[in-house]
């Protein structure tokens, strides 16, 4: 349990709590890990009060909710929008009025930040990223498809960013295809990214056992929930939620990270088609709330561009090296 107040408040104090599953065998260890994450989020959100609680620690979530004076934002630090976020967490929240966000694993900015993380890992080892193989280790579930759908949707979004859209294999701990079978396709330059929210027995025991059984040859990376970009990603999501709740500043042109639930998929392996185009998704989630009315300067700029495009035919395209290359129409 924790209550972290960010330094040097710059505006109205807003309250939020991050909630994770935790570690049933060692609840305090899970609480300490989540508290450290809350502190990093607080540094990125001046003026906010950030608390934390795990479901594995009895009574901690309810106690933290009593410390709030307003309507807090609840950020589920889960990788799937399944039973825990739709049933277990709402039951623990009870009748308390809150703003519950979508889970971390469904944030649209997660694949892009993970792609940059994988490139950095390859560069640190002196590898050419184009020659690396990428694998995803996820938990999965025997009772419902939500966990697998979120992991596979993340893999497909990540695949769209990789050079030549190379195939990304995904292995699970609780369902087919199991991680041990997928690990047999590894090479010495395989980067395995666990699609998990934190550290725990799954990362320290279950995944290494599966990799040993599959004779994994690559590198096991820390879980995605431990990545350095996660506090900033959650902070941006909270900022966006606040704007949607209390208003939107049209003069703020910064990128807003929003969260949503991925669409269901019909297959579990080998499907590369993405029904939601990245361009449409990015344009739809770039801004939230009502768009600003066009200003007079913006209207004049559009007219100038239209006149220029009409009288100046693009018979050549400008290259980055300063040379013109003929373009045929």
């Amino acid at each position: 349990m924790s209550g972290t107040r960010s330094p040097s408040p710059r505006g109205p104090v807003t309250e939020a709590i991050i909630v994770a599953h935790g570690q049933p065998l060692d609840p305090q260890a899970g609480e300490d890990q989540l508290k450290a994450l809350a502190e990093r989020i607080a540094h990125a959100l001046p003026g906010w009060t950030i608390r934390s609680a795990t479901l594995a620690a009895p009574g901690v979530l309810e106690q933290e909710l009593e410390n709030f004076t307003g309507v807090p934002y609840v950020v589920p630090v889960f990788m799937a929008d399944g039973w825990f976020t739709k049933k277990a967490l709402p039951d623990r929240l009870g009748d308390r009025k809150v703003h519950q966000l979508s889970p971390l694993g469904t944030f649209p900015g997660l694949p892009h930040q993970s792609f940059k993380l994988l490139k950095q890992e390859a560069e640190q080892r002196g590898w050419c990223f184009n020659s690396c193989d990428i694998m995803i280790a996820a938990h999965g579930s025997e009772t419902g498809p939500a966990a697998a759908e979120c992991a596979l949707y993340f893999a497909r979004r990540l695949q769209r960013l990789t050079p030549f859209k190379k195939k990304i294999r995904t292995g699970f701990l609780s369902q087919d295809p199991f991680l041990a079978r997928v690990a047999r396709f590894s090479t010495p330059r395989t980067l395995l990214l666990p699609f998990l929210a934190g550290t725990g027995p799954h990362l320290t025991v279950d995944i290494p056992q599966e990799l040993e059984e599959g004779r994994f040859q690559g590198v096991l990376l820390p879980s995605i929930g431990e990545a350095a970009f996660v506090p900033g990603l959650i902070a941006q999501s909270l900022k966006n939620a606040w704007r949607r709740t209390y208003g939107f500043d049209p003069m703020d042109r910064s990128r807003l990270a929003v969260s949503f639930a991925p669409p269901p998929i019909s297959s579990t392996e080998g499907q590369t088609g993405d029904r939601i185009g990245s361009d449409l998704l990015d344009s739809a989630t770039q801004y939230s709330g009502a768009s600003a009315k066009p200003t007079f300067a913006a209207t004049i700029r559009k007219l100038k561009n239209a006149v220029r495009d009409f009288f100046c035919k693009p018979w050549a395209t400008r290259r980055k090296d300063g040379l013109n290359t003929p373009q045929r129409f």
Side-chain angles (χ1 to χ4, degrees):
M1 116 183 116
S2 69
T4 302
R5 181 68 176 272
S6 56
S8 63
R10 301 178 183 176
V13 175
T14 306
E15 299 170 318
I17 182 171
I18 57 174
V19 183
H21 182 272
Q23 302 181 25
L25 299 179
D26 190 359
Q28 188 58 44
E31 288 289 324
D32 294 340
Q33 293 176 8
L34 201 61
K35 180 181 178 181
L37 176 60
E39 292 176 350
R40 288 184 289 170
I41 297 173
H43 283 291
L45 288 175
W48 287 61
T49 298
I50 309 296
R51 301 181 184 273
S52 63
T54 64
L55 298 181
V60 173
L61 177 59
E62 291 77 7
Q63 181 179 351
E64 290 294 341
L65 289 174
E66 292 298 326
N67 295 326
F68 288 114
T69 58
V71 181
Y73 294 91
V74 177
V75 183
V77 187
F78 291 85
M79 305 312 294
D81 194 12
W83 184 82
F84 281 104
T85 58
K86 294 181 178 180
K87 176 62 177 175
L89 179 56
D91 287 348
R92 292 284 297 272
L93 295 174
D95 297 331
R96 172 78 189 199
K97 188 176 181 181
V98 300
H99 300 295
Q100 181 176 334
L101 278 64
S102 297
L104 172 65
T106 63
F107 285 5
L110 191 65
H112 185 266
Q113 294 292 338
S114 301
F115 170 74
K116 295 195 296 185
L117 172 67
L118 291 169
K119 286 194 65 176
Q120 293 174 358
E121 292 289 343
E123 293 173 357
Q124 291 176 0
R125 291 170 172 79
W127 297 348
C128 175
F129 184 71
N130 294 353
S131 64
C132 293
D133 293 324
I134 301 174
M135 290 185 177
I136 304 297
H139 187 277
S141 175
E142 298 178 350
T143 59
E149 287 175 354
C150 289
L152 293 173
Y153 186 77
F154 167 80
R156 293 207 313 273
R157 290 282 292 170
L158 185 63
Q159 181 182 18
R160 294 173 66 91
L161 300 172
T162 58
F164 312 112
K165 296 182 180 180
K166 62 173 60 179
K167 183 177 182 180
I168 297 179
R169 301 181 184 274
T170 304
F172 299 96
L173 297 176
S174 300
Q175 68 179 74
D176 190 65
F178 288 96
L179 182 59
R181 181 160 64 91
V182 174
R184 297 170 186 170
F185 297 93
S186 65
T187 65
R189 291 194 176 186
T190 296
L191 297 175
L192 177 64
L193 180 63
F195 191 68
L196 300 174
T199 60
H202 289 316
L203 186 66
T204 58
V205 179
D206 298 336
I207 290 181
Q209 288 180 354
E210 290 283 320
L211 296 182
E212 183 179 0
E213 180 181 349
R215 297 182 180 180
F216 181 68
Q217 304 179 50
V219 177
L220 173 61
L221 301 177
S223 66
I224 197 171
E226 295 296 307
F229 64 79
V230 169
L233 195 62
I234 296 178
Q236 279 295 97
S237 183
L238 285 170
K239 288 180 182 178
N240 178 68
W242 185 89
R243 290 185 176 103
R244 284 184 294 173
T245 306
Y246 297 104
F248 177 74
D249 182 8
M251 300 305 295
D252 186 0
R253 312 299 289 179
S254 63
R255 175 83 179 189
L256 304 180
V258 300
S259 54
F260 72 106
I265 58 176
S266 57
S267 63
T268 59
E269 190 70 25
Q271 180 175 347
T272 59
D274 194 346
R275 295 182 181 179
I276 298 182
S278 59
D279 295 337
L280 294 178
L281 178 63
D282 292 339
S283 62
T285 61
Q286 186 171 5
Y287 300 108
S288 174
S291 58
K293 295 181 179 180
T295 61
F296 178 76
T299 304
I300 296 300
R301 191 181 305 111
K302 290 182 179 179
L303 290 175
K304 288 183 178 180
N305 292 337
V307 172
R308 182 192 61 189
D309 294 340
F310 179 81
F311 290 101
C312 302
K313 298 294 183 181
W315 298 107
T317 57
R318 178 68 61 180
R319 288 177 17 180
K320 293 183 179 180
D321 56 6
L323 301 177
N324 289 334
T325 304
Q327 181 175 346
R328 180 176 299 176
F329 292 88

